[in-house]
């Protein structure tokens, strides 16, 4: 496979950069029809060969590694008149050369191989570093998105330098490679330059909420695209802040990461979904679809020690993958295809690996097995693995991006290998965003320059200065099956034939039967209406219960002080959606003494069979809403209103979420601690999700 990409060297003046797995030959830029921006990764520098170097070591292909290093040293030239992406060249080529150098040095030191090696890959890396530096020659310090490997940016021959903006990830994904290069060469300029770009991004964040946009003007630092998410355009910026702290031991990076992380969890994360918001008005999700790049995020959450949302989002991604064989480039919040392509991206495998490492739950081995099986069944072709042009038809593209060997192979191999099978201790390394291996020992290598970090603005609250990853035992004491417990709540996101989802206190309910009556739907949600003697009805949950008699809130929308507070006290209030935030209504009713609230949709005729996924969310404040809250669409809610109009007394027992209370064994009411747990869960949902105009 490798030689197909490399072999074209003999036929053309330049080595091939990528394999064309259907044509069985290498792709040389300029020799094939242009694919636009995608081709900016190709610099006539044997991209795939370099990007795969450290994968060969992980796979214990040491002869092949030595051979590949020789080829790179002998044949790769960087002085090419080619305009390349600064970001891609950094993560794939500079990262690949550094990973290769570190592996070569290690094998040489162990006298295993490469006794002839004298740091040639590091010399190439340094050469490449200097070829990337002109891109940073802007007044802001943010890099141009492209650079000419021979002529830089501003020279008349460069054919680049007219761009005005770049993506956040493009400017913020340099520090690992540049710092490693500085520390290995003792030349300060690389780490300084990457750090300066990060300082600008931090400075330009939305100060009120710590969110960043997707595209930024490289000259004046104004945001050009203000949507904020964790996928395309931003993804590895967050990853590099966290990993820069791990690799370099500099607190500033962790503090920045934590501030952004709090913002992400408050506004973007709506477990299991991750939806983009407007950085200046983050209370509104600005799109209802997700891109496949965000699949790396559960892996990053594992590094952060935040396992629960990592498990939830990963499970959601797995459901999408099962539905479409691969993760489509983009998919809607009800998991339909939005962009149908799948260029063999590794992010889902990456998160699967990290979750397995953290939990040792064999479930993640099963997930990995399904990834391998899909690749073999639907992507494998005679000369390699072909990207899928459309997951719905399975049609292939003549394309195998270098990250497939750099990342996908590495993560899948590592997922199934034991420590003793590897020629290195993988825990001594950190993965770059392209899965290149940088040794943690760089953290103790003295930085070649005095530190000059922007001081972190204090006052975010102690909780965001988390410095350690809590163990699973701390997070989920005495619950060895916590991963399953968390996943189970998200397992039924997709059932055969189920198009629509309804969300009820964070539990998703597949509603397959379009003939289902509202009463049955309620039952399916864990709620049953029971007649109680002649003039009362009981709405009972099938799991744990929170009890209260129903009462209509006055005013019905509960946006102002509750006038019938005497009636509401200790009861389950019914309130209508609209006019103000759910959180406002909830606080008003909580203050009035309600034991819980059931919100009923204000859209006439709405019902869970027809409405798309919906989640009640809070206003982002940490206000102490502790009573249980339920949202029902109008048709289901009408069942309760009808019951209330026909019966003197309607008792309600609300089902609670099995994921945090466990399966019910008896019909006993909840203990005080269970109630507290339930309420905490609900409050957490409220405060960690993007607020929604009720
Ligand atoms: C890789 O090149 C890197 O992981 C990058 O950060 C974004 N994603 C691609 C593969 O999908």
């Amino acid at each position: 496979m490798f030689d197909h990409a490399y072999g074209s060297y003999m036929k053309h003046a330049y080595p091939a950069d990528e394999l064309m797995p259907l044509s069985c030959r290498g792709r040389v830029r300029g020799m094939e029809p242009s694919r636009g921006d995608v081709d900016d990764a190709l610099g006539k520098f044997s991209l795939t060969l370099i990007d795969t170097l450290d994968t060969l070591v992980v796979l214990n292909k040491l002869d092949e590694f030595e051979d590949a290093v020789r080829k790179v040293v002998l044949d790769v030239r960087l002085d090419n008149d080619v305009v390349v992406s600064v970001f891609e060249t950094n993560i794939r080529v500079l990262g690949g050369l550094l990973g290769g150098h570190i592996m070569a040095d290690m094998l040489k030191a162990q006298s295993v191989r490469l006794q002839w090696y004298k740091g040639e890959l590091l010399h190439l890396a340094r050469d490449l570093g200097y070829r990337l530096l002109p891109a940073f020659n802007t007044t802001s310090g943010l890099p141009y998105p492209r650079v000419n490997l021979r002529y830089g940016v501003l020279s008349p021959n460069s054919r680049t330098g007219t761009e005005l903006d770049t993506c956040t990830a493009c400017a913020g994904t340099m520090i690992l490679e540049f710092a490693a290069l500085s520390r290995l060469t003792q030349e300060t300029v690389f780490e300084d330059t990457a750090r300066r770009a990060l300082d600008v991004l931090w400075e330009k964040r939305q100060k009120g909420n710590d969110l960043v946009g997707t595209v930024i003007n490289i000259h004046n630092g104004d945001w050009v695209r203000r949507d904020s998410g964790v996928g395309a355009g931003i993804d590895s910026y967050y990853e590099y802040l966290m990993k820069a702290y791990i690799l370099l031991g500099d607190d500033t990076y962790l503090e920045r990461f934590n501030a952004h992380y709090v913002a992400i969890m408050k506004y973007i994360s709506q477990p299991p979904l991750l939806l983009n918001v407007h950085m200046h008005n983050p209370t509104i999700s600005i799109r209802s679809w997700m891109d496949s790049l965000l699949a790396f995020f559960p892996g990053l959450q594992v590094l952060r020690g935040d396992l629960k949302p990592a498990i939830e989002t990963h499970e959601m991604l797995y459901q999408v993958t099962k539905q479409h064989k691969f993760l489509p480039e983009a998919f809607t919040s009800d998991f339909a295809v939005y962009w149908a392509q799948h260029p063999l991206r590794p992010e889902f495998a990456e998160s699967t690996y990290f979750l397995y490492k953290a939990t040792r739950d064999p479930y993640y081995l099963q997930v990995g097995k399904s990834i391998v099986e899909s690749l073999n069944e639907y992507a494998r072709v005679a000369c390699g693995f072909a990207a899928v042009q459309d997951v719905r038809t399975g049609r292939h593209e003549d394309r195998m991006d270098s990250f497939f060997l750099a990342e996908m192979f590495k993560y899948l191999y590592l997922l199934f290998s034991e420590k003793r099978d590897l020629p290195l201790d993988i825990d001594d390394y950190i993965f770059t965003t392209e899965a290149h291996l940088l040794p943690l020992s760089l953290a103790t290598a003295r930085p070649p320059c005095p530190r000059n970090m922007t001081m972190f603005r204090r006052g975010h609250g102690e909780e965001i200065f988390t410095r350690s990853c809590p163990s699973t035992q701390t997070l989920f004491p005495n619950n060895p099956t916590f991963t399953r417990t968390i996943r189970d709540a998200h397992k039924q996101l997709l059932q055969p034939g189920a198009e629509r989802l309804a969300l009820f206190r964070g539990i998703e309910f597949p509603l397959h039967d379009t003939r289902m009556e509202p009463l049955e739907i309620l039952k399916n949600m864990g709620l049953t209406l029971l007649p109680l003697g002649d003039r009362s009805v009981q709405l009972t949950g099938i799991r744990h219960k929170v009890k209260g008699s129903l009462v209509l809130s006055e005013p019905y929308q509960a946006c102002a002080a509750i006038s019938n507070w005497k009636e509401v006290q200790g009861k389950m209030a019914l309130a209508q959606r609209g006019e103000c935030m759910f959180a406002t209504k909830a606080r008003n009713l909580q203050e009035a003494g309600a034991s819980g609230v059931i919100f009923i949709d204000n859209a006439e005729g709405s019902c869970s069979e027809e409405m798309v996924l919906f989640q009640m969310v809070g206003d982002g404040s940490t206000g102490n809403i502790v009573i249980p809250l339920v949202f029902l669409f109008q048709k289901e809610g009408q069942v309760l209103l009808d019951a209330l109009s026909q019966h003197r007394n309607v008792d309600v027992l609300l089902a609670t979420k099995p994921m945090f209370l466990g399966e019910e064994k008896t019909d006993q009411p909840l203990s005080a601690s269970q109630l507290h747990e339930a309420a905490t869960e609900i409050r957490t949902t409220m405060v960690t999700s993007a607020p929604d105009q009720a």
Side-chain angles (χ1 to χ4, degrees):
M1 189 189 299
F2 212 43
D3 283 340
H4 282 301
Y6 186 75
S8 300
Y9 173 65
M10 304 309 289
K11 294 183 211 129
H12 306 294
Y14 290 99
D17 277 312
E18 276 180 353
L19 173 65
M20 296 166 70
L22 302 180
S23 315
C24 289
R25 57 195 164 84
R27 183 185 295 279
V28 179
R29 191 158 167 193
M31 305 294 290
E32 308 293 334
S34 167
R35 300 174 301 169
D37 289 358
V38 176
D39 283 344
D40 288 348
L42 314 180
K44 300 182 176 177
F45 37 32
S46 300
L47 171 64
T48 301
L49 182 69
I50 293 173
D51 215 5
T52 314
L53 287 174
D54 52 12
T55 301
L56 291 171
V57 178
V58 170
L59 268 57
N60 230 327
K61 299 275 179 199
L62 301 186
D63 291 340
E64 288 84 348
F65 173 68
E66 181 157 6
D67 185 39
V69 174
R70 256 191 235 284
K71 282 178 169 147
V72 172
V73 171
L74 285 176
D75 297 334
V76 170
R77 298 286 172 270
L78 297 172
D79 188 35
N80 306 330
D81 179 12
V82 188
V83 176
V84 293
S85 154
V86 174
F87 166 79
E88 299 290 357
T89 306
N90 173 58
I91 65 168
R92 302 198 205 192
V93 186
L94 185 54
L97 290 169
L98 290 169
H101 164 71
I102 285 150
M103 295 297 110
D105 247 9
M106 175 193 75
L107 294 173
K108 182 182 176 186
Q110 294 169 353
S111 304
V112 176
R113 292 277 191 302
L114 287 118
Q115 292 309 302
W116 55 269
Y117 183 72
K118 293 191 177 60
E120 290 87 340
L121 295 179
L122 182 59
H123 297 152
L124 271 174
R126 178 178 170 276
D127 182 0
L128 184 57
Y130 278 111
R131 290 176 191 279
L132 295 179
L133 281 182
F136 293 82
N137 195 6
T138 57
T139 40
S140 68
L142 296 169
Y144 281 96
R146 281 177 275 272
V147 69
N148 185 308
L149 285 173
R150 182 180 295 166
Y151 297 113
V153 172
L154 295 173
S155 116
N157 294 326
S158 68
R159 301 191 307 283
T160 189
T162 52
E163 299 94 338
L164 298 177
D165 44 55
T166 196
C167 72
T168 305
C170 303
T173 311
M174 301 281 159
I175 189 69
L176 295 187
E177 293 81 1
F178 274 38
L181 186 56
S182 277
R183 293 179 186 217
L184 290 166
T185 60
Q186 290 298 304
E187 292 180 46
T188 64
V189 62
F190 307 109
E191 188 167 345
D192 286 352
T193 304
R195 198 180 54 210
R196 192 165 149 231
L198 282 178
D199 286 349
V200 178
L201 290 176
W202 173 249
E203 187 49 38
K204 293 292 175 184
R205 77 196 182 284
Q206 177 65 16
K207 302 275 184 343
N209 58 32
D210 291 327
L211 290 171
V212 290
T214 310
V215 175
I216 192 165
N217 183 303
I218 54 176
H219 302 294
N220 59 22
D222 288 347
W223 291 103
V224 176
R225 279 188 49 196
R226 298 182 171 88
D227 48 322
S228 188
V230 298
I234 307 188
D235 48 2
S236 45
Y237 162 61
Y238 297 130
E239 178 184 359
Y240 270 37
L241 285 179
M242 180 73 190
K243 291 183 175 176
Y245 166 69
I246 296 171
L247 186 71
L248 308 173
D250 190 321
D251 287 355
T252 305
Y253 297 122
L254 179 68
E255 289 159 355
R256 289 179 185 179
F257 173 81
N258 279 335
H260 286 312
Y261 189 76
V262 168
I264 290 166
M265 296 313 287
K266 187 160 156 183
Y267 299 113
I268 294 162
S269 168
Q270 303 180 34
L273 311 179
L274 291 159
L275 294 172
N276 280 23
V277 296
H278 192 290
M279 64 180 285
H280 295 147
N281 187 6
T283 57
I284 297 168
S285 297
I286 55 171
R287 65 188 200 197
S288 59
W289 51 273
M290 290 160 275
D291 62 65
S292 64
L293 288 170
L294 61 72
F296 89 103
F297 197 67
L300 186 60
Q301 289 181 308
V302 170
L303 275 190
R304 168 68 166 62
D306 204 359
L307 279 182
K308 184 170 174 283
I311 292 167
E312 290 170 331
T313 298
H314 179 274
E315 182 58 31
M316 178 272 288
L317 295 167
Y318 187 38
Q319 304 279 341
V320 182
T321 304
K322 281 206 277 199
Q323 172 100 335
H324 303 294
K325 302 187 183 78
F326 298 105
L327 209 54
E329 270 299 68
F331 47 94
T332 63
S333 53
D334 56 353
F335 311 147
V337 169
Y338 194 75
W339 294 333
Q341 207 187 11
H342 173 70
L344 307 178
R345 288 200 189 281
E347 284 78 5
F348 179 61
E350 173 184 350
S351 282
T352 305
Y353 166 69
F354 281 112
L355 272 168
Y356 180 65
K357 283 274 285 186
T359 64
R360 292 285 157 194
D361 183 342
Y363 177 82
Y364 295 107
L365 294 178
Q366 286 303 323
V367 176
K369 186 164 169 259
S370 79
I371 299 173
V372 173
E373 284 168 356
S374 290
L375 286 171
N376 279 330
E377 204 169 329
Y378 305 110
R380 195 168 193 151
V381 293
C383 290
F385 289 80
V388 179
Q389 195 173 62
D390 189 325
V391 294
R392 294 164 299 196
T393 62
R395 199 168 152 205
H396 287 144
E397 255 188 286
D398 201 4
R399 161 177 181 189
M400 191 186 88
D401 290 63
S402 66
F403 51 68
F404 182 69
L405 294 180
E407 293 189 70
M408 185 79 95
F409 260 50
K410 210 178 269 153
Y411 285 124
L412 288 176
Y413 186 83
L414 287 170
L415 178 63
F416 294 106
S417 45
E418 300 291 341
K419 253 178 176 250
R420 61 175 178 275
D421 303 330
L422 299 172
L424 73 176
D425 185 344
I426 202 69
D427 295 332
D428 289 342
Y429 296 84
I430 192 150
F431 296 91
T432 68
T433 193
E434 190 75 358
H436 292 306
L437 300 173
L438 297 178
L440 290 169
S441 55
L442 285 175
T444 48
R446 273 166 62 94
C449 58
R451 303 215 182 156
N452 180 25
M453 302 298 293
T454 302
M455 285 311 291
F456 183 71
R457 179 173 52 86
R458 300 276 163 183
H460 276 251
E462 271 314 300
E463 71 284 359
I464 65 169
F465 297 105
T466 316
R467 268 153 224 285
S468 59
C469 299
S471 72
T472 52
Q473 175 59 21
T474 326
L475 288 168
F476 308 101
N478 306 320
N479 184 357
T481 59
F482 71 93
T483 51
R484 200 185 67 213
T485 317
I486 294 169
R487 278 194 310 269
D488 280 354
H490 297 273
K491 266 272 156 54
Q492 298 173 357
L493 290 172
L494 287 175
Q495 294 281 327
E499 296 289 318
R500 300 289 178 198
L501 303 167
L503 196 79
F504 165 74
R505 285 189 54 189
I507 308 177
E508 293 74 21
F509 299 90
L511 300 168
H512 333 223
D513 189 348
T514 48
R515 294 158 308 166
M516 210 181 264
E517 292 301 319
L519 259 178
E520 290 175 76
I521 293 171
L522 284 175
K523 193 172 171 187
N524 207 33
M525 291 175 170
L527 299 168
T528 315
L529 268 176
L530 296 175
L532 283 184
D534 53 350
R535 293 191 62 80
S536 72
V537 167
Q538 190 182 63
L539 179 68
T540 173
I542 54 171
R543 299 190 182 101
H544 284 291
K545 303 171 181 74
V546 182
K547 191 178 175 183
S549 301
L550 272 191
V551 62
L552 274 186
S553 157
E554 286 175 20
Y556 185 28
Q557 290 188 319
C559 293
I562 306 303
S563 55
N564 61 336
W565 58 271
K566 279 192 181 149
E567 269 184 81
V568 162
Q569 274 194 341
K571 306 245 177 80
M572 195 66 64
L574 278 177
Q576 192 184 38
R577 182 186 188 188
E579 268 197 9
C580 62
M581 317 278 287
F582 285 121
T584 308
K585 297 167 192 281
R587 276 195 204 99
N588 288 339
L589 285 160
Q590 181 173 284
E591 266 163 37
S595 61
V597 185
I598 299 175
F599 298 111
I600 298 181
D601 198 8
N602 55 353
E604 194 54 37
S606 71
C607 67
S608 50
E609 284 174 285
E610 282 160 20
M611 303 304 289
V612 290
L613 183 71
F614 172 77
Q615 182 168 4
M616 269 194 305
V617 288
D619 57 5
S621 81
T622 47
N624 48 354
I625 299 165
V626 294
I627 55 174
L629 309 170
V630 173
F631 174 83
L632 293 176
F633 286 110
Q634 195 267 331
K635 270 191 183 171
E636 283 87 64
Q638 191 60 43
V639 176
L640 301 187
L641 294 173
D642 289 348
L644 201 56
S645 69
Q646 289 161 21
H647 301 275
R648 182 177 40 81
N649 183 33
V650 179
D651 278 353
V652 181
L653 280 148
L654 295 180
T656 53
K657 205 169 173 178
M659 61 179 273
F660 56 88
L661 290 175
E663 287 303 322
E664 183 183 65
K665 297 281 183 295
T666 71
D667 230 21
Q668 296 306 304
L670 295 178
S671 69
S673 68
Q674 283 172 321
L675 272 171
H676 177 73
E677 218 179 333
T680 307
E681 173 64 24
I682 292 156
R683 186 170 49 81
T684 308
T685 306
M686 295 288 288
V687 298
T688 58
S689 304
D692 184 15
Q693 184 70 24

